[in-house]
């Protein structure tokens, strides 16, 4: 009996190497492996984009799922005039912003600007995605990530979106501005203020921990006392 070849086993690895432009025609025909490849490729960017607006992991996942469904059911309208990532990101942003508008009125940017202080700010870099070398290192990175995520969540909506797209997702200012449908100059202003607010938030959270730096107590303190006393007992 001749074995029947299974093309899906060879199809799956090959799809991961294809460009979006090659995957889209397959997805338009309902090719499930192609759809899966597109989803896996763009999951992180879309989740970060939704999370920047929604500030809730579970709801951000719902937004991404809804965005994918909307995108794939309307994939015939995608003409390739923009990158697929651009198209998906805009759908995700619209879905997230629509949910925010539906549940509450957002604070106007002008009011946010008046509340912001005039102090300068510096760029806050997120930790890199280097693999942990040990559990203690991984714990430190996890704590740092939580600190940064909390600070991001506290940013006003308009500032949070540009900060995540620009400094977390690594887009250029022009690219992020195009996603948000704002002028590059506006994007630069919001990003500057977002970085300043991030810095202020992190400094506020860490200020109480400064007094605990470089501890020299307990056994270390007692041992130093013993060494001093022992030295003093030595004949001069």
């Amino acid at each position: 009996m001749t074995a029947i070849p299974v093309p899906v086993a060879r199809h799956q690895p090959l799809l991961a190497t294809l460009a979006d432009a090659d995957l889209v025609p397959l997805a338009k025909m309902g090719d499930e492996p192609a759809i899966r490849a597109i989803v896996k490729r763009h999951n992180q960017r879309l989740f970060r984009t939704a999370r920047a607006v929604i500030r809730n992991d579970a709801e951000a996942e719902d937004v991404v799922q809804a965005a994918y469904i909307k995108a794939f059911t309307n994939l015939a309208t995608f003409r390739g005039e923009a990158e697929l990532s651009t198209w998906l990101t805009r759908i995700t942003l619209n879905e997230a912003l629509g949910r925010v508008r539906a549940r509450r009125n957002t604070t106007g940017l002008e009011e946010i600007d008046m509340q912001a202080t005039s102090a300068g700010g510096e760029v806050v870099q997120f930790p890199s995605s280097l693999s942990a070398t040990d559990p203690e290192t991984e714990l430190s990175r996890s704590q740092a990530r939580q600190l940064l995520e909390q600070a991001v969540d506290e940013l006003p909506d308009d500032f949070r979106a540009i900060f995540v797209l620009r400094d977390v997702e690594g887009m250029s200012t022009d690219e992020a501005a195009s996603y948000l449908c704002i002028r590059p100059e506006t994007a630069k202003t919001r990003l500057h203020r977002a970085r300043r607010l991030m810095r202020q938030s992190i400094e506020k959270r860490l200020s109480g921990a400064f007094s605990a730096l470089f501890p020299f107590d307990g056994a270390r303190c007692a041992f130093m006392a013993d060494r001093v006393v022992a030295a003093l007992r030595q004949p001069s």
Side-chain angles (χ1 to χ4, degrees):
M1 183 177 181
T2 305
I4 301 175
V6 182
V8 174
R10 298 192 301 271
H11 191 38
Q12 195 80 16
L14 175 63
L15 289 176
T17 66
L18 294 180
D20 285 342
D22 299 316
L23 289 173
V24 168
L26 296 174
K28 285 182 177 180
M29 295 186 295
D31 186 280
E32 184 176 315
I35 291 173
R36 289 179 179 274
I38 290 173
V39 170
K40 290 179 180 178
R41 182 172 298 174
H42 298 285
N43 264 340
Q44 178 165 284
R45 168 172 287 189
L46 299 192
F47 176 77
R48 284 175 168 176
T49 300
R51 183 64 175 73
V53 177
I54 296 296
R55 290 190 292 177
N56 178 277
D57 286 3
E59 193 171 355
E61 289 184 21
D62 290 343
V63 166
V64 172
Q65 178 179 322
Y68 276 132
I69 292 172
K70 186 172 294 185
F72 286 121
T73 55
N74 293 278
L75 199 56
T77 65
F78 178 69
R79 305 300 180 188
E81 297 171 355
E83 295 290 336
L84 180 65
S85 60
T86 302
W87 191 63
L88 291 173
T89 302
R90 284 175 178 163
I91 293 174
T92 303
L93 269 174
N94 288 336
E95 179 69 24
L97 291 170
R99 294 193 182 205
V100 170
R101 285 192 292 266
R103 73 184 179 209
R104 63 178 172 81
N105 293 325
T106 56
T107 304
L109 181 60
E110 295 79 9
E111 182 179 341
I112 295 171
D113 288 349
M114 292 177 65
Q115 293 173 352
T117 62
S118 58
E122 297 179 12
V123 176
V124 179
Q125 296 292 342
F126 270 58
S128 62
S129 56
L130 298 176
S131 58
T133 55
D134 55 65
E136 184 176 351
T137 301
E138 179 59 29
L139 177 60
S140 297
R141 287 177 179 163
S142 176
Q143 292 171 338
R145 188 185 68 249
Q146 290 175 8
L147 175 70
L148 291 169
E149 287 177 348
Q150 290 169 0
V152 170
D153 279 348
E154 291 176 356
L155 291 173
D157 293 342
D158 292 322
F159 296 170
R160 189 171 60 256
I162 186 62
F163 181 84
V164 170
L165 293 181
R166 179 67 176 82
D167 281 359
V168 181
E169 195 54 35
M171 296 183 187
S172 68
T173 301
D174 289 346
E175 186 181 10
S178 69
Y179 283 132
L180 297 171
C181 299
I182 58 177
R183 296 181 306 162
E185 295 78 11
T186 304
K188 290 178 182 178
T189 299
R190 294 185 187 182
L191 179 62
H192 173 74
R193 289 172 177 159
R195 288 170 172 170
R196 184 176 63 219
L197 291 173
M198 279 287 294
R199 180 177 176 83
Q200 292 171 351
S201 176
I202 292 172
E203 287 178 346
K204 181 178 179 181
R205 290 176 183 275
L206 292 177
S207 61
F210 290 154
S211 61
L213 291 177
F214 310 117
F216 199 89
D217 52 11
R220 292 178 69 193
C221 181
F223 181 60
M224 176 58 69
D226 291 341
R227 287 173 58 187
V228 171
V229 170
L232 292 174
R233 286 175 178 171
Q234 295 296 326
S236 55

